[in-house]
């Protein structure tokens, strides 16, 4: 912690602006936290460690609601642990984002009329570094706006010197252990980005295509196959059928003519074919389809590549030079001329993969690439969860994790890019292959060249939990803060980033998993549950909401929707409601400070307190215990809901209101309640701080004179409970709630005063008469008092004189009209529900709707009749 952090705290003050203005508070307050070093973790500390490494956002990225959501939760976890006395490290950083970043710079060059090839590799990479320094990392400033309590002194980048050394180290170890190899396999290929891409970089969407059925062969020796990619038939090397399919048994092992070509291809029997799907016969194109590639391997079929890296056809005269989509139409046209098209279906909606960066349709392509042999690594990743070393939360997400790691295919790690960690393999003039580690000198001399590919971005980000702490060096940070405590991330990348970190962490760190807990969240959606997308009008920039309502309001809204593993709907009205909550906290705390709330001196003995004092302290400690339990179970929505209702309902709407008469009367009871209110506010602000840090810190320092809640203590449940006081105040609440409801039913305005007689003698309500009258606007009964309405409630009786407050005749007439309408609605609903012919024909949802109308009508009738009975006679 910096020297500034040791300054004396300011004296308590009641000088708060009348209104909370987030823009005036949040920016300066965050800078103060950073300047004082509150977020900096000390590896030499004897405090127990608590570590979270941030899922590194792309250097090209900006803060979206998904980031804001997960960052809010990680920040809340870290702030709470810091307050609990842990040496809390939340480590920030960014991913170099190979494809996305290279695309950005190539777009810049295109505007200058150039390509990367005009610059050459070395100059292009230097240009990318310049772009990164000038434009990259915008999201880091946006994280400050959100209030991320990260240790900026430890900020890392996946291509900085230390992380680059880690990448070379683990590549060399995996290579030497024969867990990295080079082979020709089917990969996802982007003809625009000109590189292999990972599964996570492929976005699938329903596209309108064409399904054509093509007859191969002649006469009795023919069969029909269906395809949405007719152009790939030029690379077919077989037709496959199921071995038990009687329709084609006579063809198995025989050669048939491939249309449009001079080739014949065999019919092979393979159990992969579904005889119930389509015609039961499938074309096999091993170089352009992953399933076909596996069939080809099983049957030793040749693989014919028919298009280049741009998706341009390279075989068969009339089609050479055509783009794949042009070729598709041309091939179908040629087949029609030969009478080979048996059927066509258009539009045919089917799922098609697109590059997530440029939206180009992905092409399965046979290519020589570098691979990680994941078998033993994936088994270790599965075992670590099965034996309890790593917990997945919520637990039902474990099945998805096991489905992935137990069935993982070898991982293609090479990318045909220039920006990224270059593969550390050198090829010699006589076929030599040398892997060069970080401390090795690369081979030199004529004919030696380095592999031109770079590593998949996920390769370096898979090392993130330990490379960011200094690995492969045995640093103090690594010893103190590894393994990390929790990985909080979306369930959508459990298969990719999470699994890779588990594999690499266990491999590199001698079986120590990279985190104790994997806490999986859902995805942020709009208020109607639809996925947010830049292409849709429902995408929201969280910075716009922060500007309008404050960062705390956005944070609280996100936390309030965060049920483990479930998607999070969010709408602007909900952010407005959270803004109202922060305003309520501000205004109520300001009122409390102006009316004697204090933390000075010890808390009075329970015998000196009123029932309301004991009640709120009992509820306070129950809330502390609840919030702790919810945090430990990653139940953010429940803890936010508990804090909201405790603060707004119990503290502000009930305790402060019940205590007003005490404060106004003054004396010793007011001093006691002022100290209790100060205690409640102190603890409440501490509990709220991890989720809404700005408004709580501003208020808490004013209330207590303390330096900052960031380094304050987390509250503990003192064990104080007073069930008798809770029951007593519940009776008070029942009386007030019931009379308020009656007043509303009679159309009385909130501030309208009504003469009343309270019969409270002999009940626990007697000491609360002044507060009850104050909250219900009930005047003393007076000499001319006439009880026109009497309400028995909670063992007491409240008699009201409404003769001077409402027009009884008009009110009876209005209620009689409402009663007649409700009775008519009931009669109609009963008539339909009693009609057997109607019930037999009507859909279930229609019948349910009528039953709901009946229940509502019966409820209205009971309510209106009760109101009429309570009205005085005209």
């Amino acid at each position: 912690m910096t020297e500034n952090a040791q300054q004396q705290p300011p004296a308590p003050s009641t000088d708060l602006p009348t209104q909370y203005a987030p823009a005036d508070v949040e920016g300066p307050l965050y800078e103060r936290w950073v300047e004082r070093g509150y977020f900096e973790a000390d590896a030499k500390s004897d405090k127990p460690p608590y570590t979270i490494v941030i899922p590194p956002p792309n250097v090209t990225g900006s803060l979206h609601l998904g980031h804001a959501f997960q960052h809010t939760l990680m920040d809340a976890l870290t702030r709470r642990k810091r307050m609990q006395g842990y040496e809390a490290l939340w480590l920030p950083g960014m991913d170099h984002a190979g494809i996305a970043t290279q695309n950005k710079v190539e777009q810049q060059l295109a505007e200058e009329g150039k390509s990367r090839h005009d610059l050459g590799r070395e100059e292009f990479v230097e240009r990318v570094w310049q772009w990164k320094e000038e434009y990259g990392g915008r999201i880091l400033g946006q994280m400050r706006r959100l209030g991320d309590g990260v240790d900026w002194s430890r900020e890392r980048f996946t291509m900085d010197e230390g992380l680059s050394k880690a990448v070379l180290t683990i590549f060399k170890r995996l290579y030497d252990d024969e867990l990295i190899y080079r082979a020709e396999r089917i990969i996802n290929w982007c003809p625009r980005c000109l590189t292999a891409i990972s599964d996570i970089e492929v976005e699938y969407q329903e596209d309108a295509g064409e399904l054509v059925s093509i007859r191969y062969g002649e006469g009795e020796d023919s069969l029909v196959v269906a395809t949405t990619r007719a152009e790939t038939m030029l690379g077919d090397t077989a037709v496959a059928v199921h071995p038990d399919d009687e329709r084609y048994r006579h063809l198995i092992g025989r050669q048939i003519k491939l249309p449009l070509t001079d080739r014949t291809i065999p019919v092979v029997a393979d159990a992969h074919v579904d005889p119930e799907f389509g015609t039961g016969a499938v074309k096999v194109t091993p170089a352009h389809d992953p399933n076909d590639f596996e069939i080809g391997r099983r049957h030793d079929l040749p693989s014919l590549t028919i298009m280049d890296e741009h998706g341009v056809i390279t075989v068969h005269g009339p089609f050479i030079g055509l783009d794949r989509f042009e070729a598709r139409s041309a091939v179908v046209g040629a087949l029609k001329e030969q009478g080979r098209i048996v059927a066509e279906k258009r539009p045919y909606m089917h799922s098609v993969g697109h590059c997530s960066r440029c939206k180009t349709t992905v092409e399965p392509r046979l290519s020589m690439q570098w691979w990680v042999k994941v078998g033993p690594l994936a088994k270790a990743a599965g075992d670590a969860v099965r034996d309890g070393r790593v917990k997945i939360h919520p637990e039902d997400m474990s099945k998805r994790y096991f489905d992935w790691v137990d069935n993982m295919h070898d991982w293609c790690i090479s990318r045909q890019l220039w920006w990224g960690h270059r593969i550390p393999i050198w090829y010699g003039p006589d076929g030599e292959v040398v892997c060069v580690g970080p401390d090795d000198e690369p081979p030199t001399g004529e004919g030696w060249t380095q592999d031109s590919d770079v590593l998949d971005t996920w390769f370096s980000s898979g090392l993130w939990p330990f490379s960011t702490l200094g690995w492969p060096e045995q640093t103090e940070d690594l010893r103190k803060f590894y393994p990390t405590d929790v990985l909080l991330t979306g369930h959508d990348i459990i298969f990719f980033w999470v699994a890779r970190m588990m594999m690499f962490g266990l491999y590199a760190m001698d079986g120590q998993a990279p985190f104790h807990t994997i806490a999986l969240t859902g995805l942020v959606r709009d208020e109607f549950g639809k996925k947010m997308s830049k292409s849709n009008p429902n995408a929201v920039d969280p910075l716009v909401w922060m500007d309008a309502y404050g960062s705390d309001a956005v944070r609280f809204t996100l936390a309030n929707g965060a049920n483990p593993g479930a998607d999070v709907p969010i709408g602007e009205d909900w952010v407005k409601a959270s803004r109202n909550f922060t305003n309520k906290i501000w205004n109520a705390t300001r009122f409390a400070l102006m009316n004697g709330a204090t933390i000075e001196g010890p808390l009075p003995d329970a015998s000196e307190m009123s029932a309301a004092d004991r009640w709120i302290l009992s509820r306070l400690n129950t809330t502390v215990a609840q919030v702790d339990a919810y945090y430990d179970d990653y139940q953010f929505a429940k803890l936010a809901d508990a804090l909201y209702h405790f603060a707004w309902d119990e503290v502000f709407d009930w305790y402060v209101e019940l205590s007003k008469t005490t404060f106004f009367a003054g004396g010793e009871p007011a001093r006691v309640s002022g100290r209790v209110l100060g205690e409640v506010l102190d603890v409440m602000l501490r509990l709220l701080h991890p989720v809404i840090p700005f408004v709580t810190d501003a208020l808490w320092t004013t209330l207590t004179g303390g330096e900052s809640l960031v380094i304050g203590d987390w509250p503990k449940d003192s064990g104080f409970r007073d069930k008798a006081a809770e029951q007593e105040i519940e009776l008070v609440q029942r009386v007030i709630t019931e009379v308020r409801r009656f007043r509303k039913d009679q159309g009385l305005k909130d501030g309208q005063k009504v003469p009343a007689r309270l019969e409270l003698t002999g009940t626990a309500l007697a000491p609360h008469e002044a507060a009850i009258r104050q909250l219900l606007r009930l005047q003393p009964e007076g000499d001319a008092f006439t009880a026109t309405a009497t309400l028995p409630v909670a063992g007491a009786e409240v008699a009201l004189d409404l003769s001077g407050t409402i027009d009884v005749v008009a009110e009876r007439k209005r209620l009689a009209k409402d009663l007649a309408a409700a009775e008519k609605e009931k009669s109609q609903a009963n008539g339909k529900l009693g009609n057997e012919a109607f019930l037999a024909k009507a859909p279930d949802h229609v019948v349910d709707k009528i039953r709901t109308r009946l229940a509502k009508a019966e409820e209205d009738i009971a309510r209106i009749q009760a109101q009429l009975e309570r009205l005085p006679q005209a």
Side-chain angles (χ1 to χ4, degrees), residues 458-502:
W458 297 98
F459 190 94
S460 51
S461 60
L463 314 180
W464 192 251
F466 51 95
S467 63
T468 52
L469 297 173
W471 187 90
E473 308 303 327
Q474 293 302 307
T475 63
E476 286 185 329
D477 278 0
L478 192 63
R479 286 190 291 269
K480 177 75 172 180
F481 296 113
Y482 188 92
T484 66
D485 285 86
V486 60
L487 170 73
L488 191 144
T489 191
H491 62 62
D492 56 324
I493 58 173
I494 186 173
F495 314 122
F496 307 104
W497 189 47
V498 177
R500 281 146 173 66
M501 285 190 291
M502 285 286 284

Side-chain angles (χ1 to χ4, degrees), residues 54 56-60 92-97 132 136-140 143 155-159 163 464:
I54 203 166
N58 287 354
V59 67
T60 60
M94 292 184 299
D95 192 287
H96 65 277
K132 184 257 183 187
R138 178 174 51 158
I139 193 172
L140 300 179
M143 287 162 54
E155 180 191 335
R156 304 305 298 269
F157 180 56
T158 49
M159 283 186 62
L163 270 66
W464 192 251

Side-chain angles (χ1 to χ4, degrees), residues 665-717:
E668 183 62 15
R671 185 197 69 79
V672 171
S673 290
R675 179 65 187 87
V676 170
L677 180 54
E679 183 76 10
V680 171
L681 291 175
D682 177 16
V683 174
M684 182 195 76
L685 292 171
R686 292 172 193 263
L687 290 173
L688 284 164
H689 175 74
V691 178
I692 47 174
F694 294 109
V695 67
T696 51
D697 199 44
L699 291 172
W700 184 84
T701 52
T702 302
L703 170 70
T704 67
E707 184 181 342
S708 174
L709 259 181
V710 180
I711 54 172
D713 293 331
W714 182 253
K716 295 181 180 178
D717 176 7

Side-chain angles (χ1 to χ4, degrees), residues 171 189 516 805:
F171 187 101
W189 181 265
H516 300 302
T805 58

Side-chain angles (χ1 to χ4, degrees), residues 657-658 661 731-733 735-736 739-740 758 760 763-778 796 798:
E657 294 299 321
L658 287 171
T661 54
L731 292 177
V732 176
Q733 291 172 327
V735 170
I736 293 171
V739 177
R740 280 177 173 166
L758 275 60
L760 307 178
T763 73
L765 296 166
H768 304 284
E769 180 168 353
I772 291 172
R773 285 187 177 275
Q774 168 85 19
L775 290 174
L776 290 172
R777 306 294 191 268
L778 301 180
V798 178

Side-chain angles (χ1 to χ4, degrees), residues 308-506:
D308 65 15
E309 65 270 22
H310 297 279
V312 173
I313 301 298
T314 58
V315 298
H316 296 291
F319 310 111
I320 291 175
L322 294 181
D323 171 82
R324 53 189 168 149
F325 301 117
E326 296 172 333
R328 184 170 301 170
S329 298
V331 166
V332 171
L335 289 168
K336 283 181 178 178
E337 289 181 5
Q338 292 189 3
R340 293 284 178 178
I341 299 297
V342 175
E344 292 180 86
K345 183 176 181 182
R346 66 172 67 164
Y348 179 73
M349 302 304 296
H350 61 132
S351 182
V352 178
H354 296 261
C355 174
S356 63
R357 304 299 177 193
C358 67
K359 311 308 177 187
T360 300
T361 300
V362 168
E363 188 67 37
R365 175 178 170 82
L366 185 63
S367 179
M368 183 67 75
Q369 302 285 346
W370 284 94
W371 304 80
V372 171
K373 187 184 295 182
V374 299
L377 303 174
K379 181 181 184 304
D383 290 346
V385 175
R386 286 190 169 92
D387 63 25
R389 280 175 288 159
V390 178
K391 304 288 186 185
I392 292 181
H393 186 87
E395 191 176 351
D396 58 11
M397 286 283 179
S398 297
K399 183 180 183 302
R400 298 182 67 182
Y401 176 81
F402 291 132
D403 284 346
W404 179 251
V405 298
D406 292 347
N407 300 286
M408 193 182 297
H409 299 296
D410 284 1
W411 170 20
C412 175
I413 56 171
S414 45
R415 298 291 179 266
Q416 289 66 54
L417 304 171
W418 287 355
W419 172 246
H421 295 101
R422 194 164 175 181
I423 289 178
I425 295 289
W426 268 255
Y427 304 107
D430 298 318
E432 302 95 334
V433 178
V434 176
C435 180
V436 177
D439 300 320
D440 301 332
E441 288 294 329
T444 58
E446 186 176 350
W448 281 93
T449 58
Q450 185 177 358
D451 195 296
S452 60
D453 290 350
V454 300
L455 288 164
D456 178 10
T457 295
W458 297 98
F459 190 94
S460 51
S461 60
L463 314 180
W464 192 251
F466 51 95
S467 63
T468 52
L469 297 173
W471 187 90
E473 308 303 327
Q474 293 302 307
T475 63
E476 286 185 329
D477 278 0
L478 192 63
R479 286 190 291 269
K480 177 75 172 180
F481 296 113
Y482 188 92
T484 66
D485 285 86
V486 60
L487 170 73
L488 191 144
T489 191
H491 62 62
D492 56 324
I493 58 173
I494 186 173
F495 314 122
F496 307 104
W497 189 47
V498 177
R500 281 146 173 66
M501 285 190 291
M502 285 286 284
M503 291 191 300
F504 281 168
L506 291 160

Side-chain angles (χ1 to χ4, degrees), residues 793-809:
V793 57
E797 191 173 88
V798 178
L800 304 173
D801 184 354
L802 303 178
S803 56
T805 58
I806 62 173
D807 184 336
V808 176
V809 173

Side-chain angles (χ1 to χ4, degrees), residues 571-641:
E572 188 167 7
D573 285 346
W574 305 343
V575 183
K576 290 179 182 177
S578 296
R579 184 271 316 273
N580 295 343
F581 181 49
T582 60
N583 286 345
K584 181 77 170 179
I585 297 170
W586 183 274
N587 295 334
T589 304
R590 185 173 179 274
F591 169 84
L593 288 168
M594 293 170 62
N595 287 275
T598 180
I599 63 163
E600 293 181 8
L603 199 63
D605 188 77
S607 61
E608 302 176 58
M609 298 178 188
S610 68
D613 293 336
R614 299 194 305 277
W615 165 74
I616 197 62
L617 287 175
S618 184
R619 293 295 308 133
L620 175 69
N621 281 286
T622 297
T623 302
V624 171
Q626 285 179 333
V627 169
D628 274 333
Y630 290 144
Y631 262 116
D632 292 342
D633 199 33
Y634 304 99
Q635 297 279 359
F636 296 99
K638 289 183 178 179
L639 72 89
D641 186 67

